[in-house]
Amino acid sequence: MNPLDTPLGFCSNFLFVPGTRPERFAKALDSGANGVILDLEDAVAQEDKESARNAIRTAWPAFSADQKKRLVIRTNSPGSQFYSADLILAQELQVGCLLIPKSESVDQINGAALVLENTAIIPMIETAVGLDRLREIANANQVLRLALGNLDLQADLGMVCDPQETELQTARYQIVLASRLAHIAPPIDGVTPSTDDLERTTDDAERAKRMGFGGKLCIHPKQVPIVQAAFMPTEEEIHWAKRVIEADQASKGGAVKLDGKMIDRPVVILAKRTLAIAGKH
């Protein structure tokens, strides 16, 4: 089985759920979220790590096959005392996708891939070291896509960002570029920490789409439909894409104008991508 053969490569929104809250697992899956991340890291206190693993272990058999395809487990960081037990759990449950926080080297990712040969991996970039080694991490074994840990990265770099996180624009660009060069799925943007400021969530999601991200992390169910809508092509965009493809086919790949503008290969590729995204949501 190819570990990268998973619908999570096309997901535009991922909703975090604390591993210690099993009563929320089903609710998260029913929230409309494309992907649900069962969190063993930040949302779980140190003294509760084992109980969180046990909660996931107990709940796992009740998930349907389709639900399991949408589930991701976020481990603790590779340098922590909890990481090995998290990998053992993932191996035991045959988890389809693992989110590894504070990823900082190709060896960390390849090591996890060696243990979990049928598991797709999403390295989370949230430290200066991880950002510096971005391209080697993106090219590690079984990497499905990258994710940005925007809050941790700010803290590690000593940044004090404005509400738009303007200071992280360069980091975001680097993550998108590294993903494209590695031929992996477009990356997942970080969280919007305010669950009440839905306008901020909308702005953040629209910025992520414009920059080339393929999805965004959510920390509350009410953020899910906002992110979904931001990444979903509009009817106007879909109509435009179909007209581009039709014009390209009619010209058999030759030069052609549409609405007074030349249609070349990059435009056709963008149109095909728009239709592919629309078909996956």
Side-chain angles (χ1 to χ4, degrees), residues 20 37 50 70 94 113 138 148 263 280:
T20 49
I37 301 170
E50 184 59 28
R70 295 166 53 208
Q94 299 182 28
L148 170 63
I263 301 299
K280 293 293 181 179

Side-chain angles (χ1 to χ4, degrees), residues 150-151 154-155 158-170 172 191-194 197 200 203-204 207:
N150 53 320
L151 302 183
Q154 289 178 52
M159 287 182 171
V160 181
C161 290
D162 64 18
Q164 294 76 31
E165 294 184 342
T166 306
E167 295 78 7
L168 282 182
Q169 290 296 82
T170 300
R172 284 189 162 93
V191 302
T192 299
S194 173
D197 190 349
R200 178 77 266 146
D203 290 345
D204 289 350
R207 177 197 60 207

